[in-house]
């Protein structure tokens, strides 16, 4: 197959402007990189934060997309597999990669080589997961996985300090076994992966907060008890549950705020967290949501959000998944080894994929952005086709 010199991509052209279609260069792979023809990508709230809120964009045009799923067209594994400085590449594993493989991964948007909203991405092998052969779903579902499964590992370990040893030792029980972890926003894409990871590593007292329609699924995935955030008395209900359960120390030592909304999550969490609690908050903290004709407003500092008063001794941390490679073990293992293994074992179920239609690439990207602006996704990931001629 001949590779075109340029290909279509979806990019933000300037601050607060709508995305446009660009023709961008196709980058031949360097050693230990693959060129991948992208079949599916997914839209996430970050796209809305970037486009409507101009969030952390260093330069334009800015190609969007933190995930890809597609087929390897060219692979360059250097003979020693050592030409990527500092990378402890799993030689045996990478040598199983080959042209024609169906793969997916979490990548940095804004990086013109790897951003997901384009027909060809050029990605280092440590950001590639191979689609397991034994699963009864395909690339469309796979593309829902990498961004927020990486987020789940990153926030639970880097921000909360929980142990998720890999490979999981036989009979492993975490030192924090029995301690409660409250996952606020359990019905979100992040929340669904966080609950599954916690269950697998034996965190058996997960309290999930999500709208009632997700409770059955959350219990199936690993939550012990669920509360509905749409109920105005939810904070009191959680408090009464914790009083009944008793226990020493902070009643909930670990919190994952999967949403990062000043009024919707930080305020209620600040009424529950106590001295000794750790709270990991998905950034950005949203003070005002984007809406038709309205720009979003983000808080500058997760620890000092107007109107949110934490009790003394509560540790609040902002989650930044794009930093996950700072952990060399996860940089080398998470995408190539851990994620495919957990999917193959059936430990992790992909999010429900909601297909966004549109006659052109740009239309599909725009339609997805509109659904995000309308806050339409609920317990699902918005996915859309990039290349038409691949399966
Ligand atoms: N900084 C990072 O590293 C990082 C990484 C990943 C994600 N994020 C951010 O985290 C946020 C969530 O991402 P996502 O991909 O998981 O989004 P998502 O699945 O599209 O979020 C939609 C879900 O949010 C839930 N929700 C909205 N308001 C809520 C509230 N007040 N309480 C509980 N649930 C609420 C809804 O739940 P119901 O269906 O129950 O109504 C809905 O299912 C986004 O702002 C994203 O940018 C940050």
């Amino acid at each position: 197959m001949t590779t075109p010199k340029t290909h279509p991509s979806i990019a933000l052209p300037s601050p607060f402007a709508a995305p446009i279609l660009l023709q961008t260069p196709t980058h031949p792979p360097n050693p230990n990189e693959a060129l991948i023809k992208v079949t599916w990508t997914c839209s996430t709230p970050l796209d809305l934060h970037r486009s409507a809120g101009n969030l952390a964009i260093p330069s334009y045009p800015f190609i969007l997309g933190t995930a890809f799923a597609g087929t390897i067209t060219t692979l360059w594994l250097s003979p020693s597999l050592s030409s990527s400085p500092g990378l402890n590449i799993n030689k045996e594993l990478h040598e199983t990669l080959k042209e024609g493989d169906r793969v997916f991964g979490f990548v940095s948007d804004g990086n013109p080589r790897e951003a997901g909203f384009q027909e060809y991405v050029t990605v280092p092998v440590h950001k590639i997961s191979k689609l397991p052969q034994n699963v009864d779903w395909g690339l469309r579902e796979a593309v829902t996985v990498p961004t927020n499964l990486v987020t789940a590992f990153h926030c639970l370990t880097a921000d909360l300090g929980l142990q998720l040893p890999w490979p999981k030792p036989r009979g492993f029980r975490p030192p924090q076994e029995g301690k409660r972890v409250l996952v606020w926003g359990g019905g979100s894409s992040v929340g669904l992966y966080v609950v599954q990871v916690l269950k697998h590593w034996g965190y058996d007292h997960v309290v999930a907060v999500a709208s009632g329609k997700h409770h059955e699924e959350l219990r199936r995935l690993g939550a012990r008890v669920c509360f509905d955030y749409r109920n105005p008395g939810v904070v009191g209900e959680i408090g009464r549950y914790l009083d009944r359960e008793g226990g020493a120390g902070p009643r909930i030592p670990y919190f994952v705020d999967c949403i990062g909304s000043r009024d919707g999550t930080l305020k209620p969490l600040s009424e529950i967290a106590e001295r000794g609690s750790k709270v990991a908050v998905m950034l950005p903290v949203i003070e005002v949501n984007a809406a038709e004709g309205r720009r979003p407003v983000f808080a500058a500092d997760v620890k000092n959000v107007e109107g949110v008063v934490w009790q003394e001794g509560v540790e609040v941390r902002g989650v930044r998944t794009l930093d996950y490679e700072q952990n060399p073990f996860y940089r080398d293992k998470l995408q190539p080894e851990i994620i495919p293994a957990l999917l193959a074992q059936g430990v992790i179920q992909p999010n429900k994929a909601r297909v966004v239609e549109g006659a052109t690439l740009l239309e599909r990207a725009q339609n997805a952005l509109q659904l995000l602006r309308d806050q339409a996704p609920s317990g699902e990931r918005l996915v859309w086709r990039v290349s038409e001629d691949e399966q």
Side-chain angles (χ1 to χ4, degrees):
M1 190 197 310
T2 50
T3 308
K5 287 204 159 35
T6 63
H7 60 260
S9 67
I10 300 294
L12 298 174
S14 54
F16 306 109
I20 56 165
L21 184 76
L22 280 184
Q23 202 59 28
T24 40
T26 306
H27 300 277
N30 290 325
N32 299 325
E33 285 187 339
L35 178 70
I36 294 156
K37 186 159 193 197
V38 179
T39 318
W40 292 94
T41 191
C42 63
S43 289
T44 79
L46 180 59
D47 306 329
L48 184 64
H49 306 330
R50 300 269 200 221
S51 87
N54 196 28
L55 180 73
I57 298 195
S59 62
Y60 290 91
F62 184 94
I63 304 180
L64 292 165
T66 61
F68 69 87
T71 306
I72 297 182
T73 62
T74 316
L75 178 67
W76 184 1
L77 290 180
S78 80
S80 63
L81 278 177
S82 62
S83 47
S84 307
L87 279 184
N88 175 19
I89 286 198
N90 184 335
K91 188 168 179 291
E92 272 171 33
L93 188 74
H94 288 306
E95 282 177 350
T96 69
L97 280 182
K98 55 183 184 325
E99 289 167 12
D101 276 351
R102 297 197 300 157
V103 293
F104 58 95
F106 166 57
V107 284
S108 302
D109 60 344
N111 176 334
R113 296 173 76 81
E114 60 183 49
F117 288 12
Q118 53 184 334
E119 203 171 287
Y120 284 90
V121 291
T122 308
V123 182
V125 288
H126 70 275
K127 293 189 181 177
I128 296 177
S129 298
K130 215 165 146 167
L131 186 72
Q133 284 184 342
N134 64 329
V135 294
D136 60 1
W137 40 267
L139 291 176
R140 186 179 65 180
E141 287 71 27
V143 81
T144 72
V145 175
T147 305
N148 285 341
L149 189 49
V150 173
T151 297
F153 277 97
H154 179 71
C155 75
L156 294 174
T157 56
D159 295 303
L160 295 185
L162 297 181
Q163 290 189 17
L164 308 172
W166 180 266
K168 191 177 98 175
R170 208 170 237 267
F172 172 77
R173 309 304 316 174
Q176 302 93 341
E177 185 179 11
K179 298 222 165 124
R180 293 161 201 139
V181 184
L182 187 145
V183 181
W184 194 297
S188 68
S189 169
V190 171
L192 290 164
Y193 290 122
V194 165
V195 168
Q196 295 182 80
V197 169
L198 287 170
K199 178 183 184 187
H200 183 59
W201 268 273
Y203 295 89
D204 57 359
H205 200 146
V206 171
V207 177
V209 183
S211 52
K213 66 179 171 180
H214 302 305
H215 289 187
E216 197 183 321
E217 185 184 12
L218 284 164
R219 275 193 283 266
R220 184 174 59 75
L221 295 178
R224 183 183 290 192
V225 59
C226 298
F227 294 91
D228 192 337
Y229 75 91
R230 293 172 188 267
N231 166 2
V234 65
V235 169
E237 254 183 57
I238 295 172
R240 286 190 290 283
Y241 168 76
L242 296 174
D243 289 344
R244 281 198 303 278
E245 291 286 305
R251 294 177 304 170
I252 300 191
Y254 304 105
F255 291 81
V256 185
D257 175 352
C258 304
I259 310 300
S261 155
R262 178 186 62 189
D263 299 326
T265 60
L266 288 178
K267 282 186 181 169
L269 287 175
S270 68
E271 294 177 44
I272 306 171
E274 299 162 308
R275 174 181 287 281
S277 297
K278 287 184 178 182
V279 186
V281 179
M282 294 303 137
L283 296 178
V285 172
I286 302 162
E287 294 187 342
V288 178
N289 279 309
E292 206 60 61
R294 184 181 73 202
R295 289 179 184 171
V297 179
F298 306 121
D301 175 5
V302 66
K303 294 189 175 129
N304 293 299
V305 178
E306 205 186 325
V308 179
V309 182
W310 297 98
Q311 286 185 36
E312 206 166 304
V314 174
E315 190 185 336
V316 181
R317 304 200 27 145
V319 177
R320 296 174 197 278
T321 304
L322 285 166
D323 291 346
Y324 91 98
E325 291 175 78
Q326 287 175 3
N327 174 336
F329 183 79
Y330 278 161
R331 179 196 58 202
D332 299 340
K333 300 262 183 194
L334 192 48
Q335 301 214 62
E337 182 179 324
I338 301 176
I339 288 179
L342 293 175
L343 292 168
Q345 291 162 18
V347 167
I348 299 290
Q349 303 289 314
N351 289 162
K352 189 170 154 244
R354 174 170 172 184
V355 177
V356 180
E357 303 289 356
T360 62
L361 195 62
L362 183 59
E363 223 175 276
R364 295 190 280 279
Q366 286 168 335
N367 290 346
L369 207 54
Q370 187 59 42
L371 288 167
L372 289 166
R373 195 176 284 111
D374 296 343
Q375 296 186 29
S378 173
E380 62 201 358
R381 182 96 294 177
L382 301 177
V383 304
W384 42 279
R385 267 197 172 274
V386 178
S387 160
E388 293 290 353
D389 53 342
E390 298 280 310
Q391 286 312 298

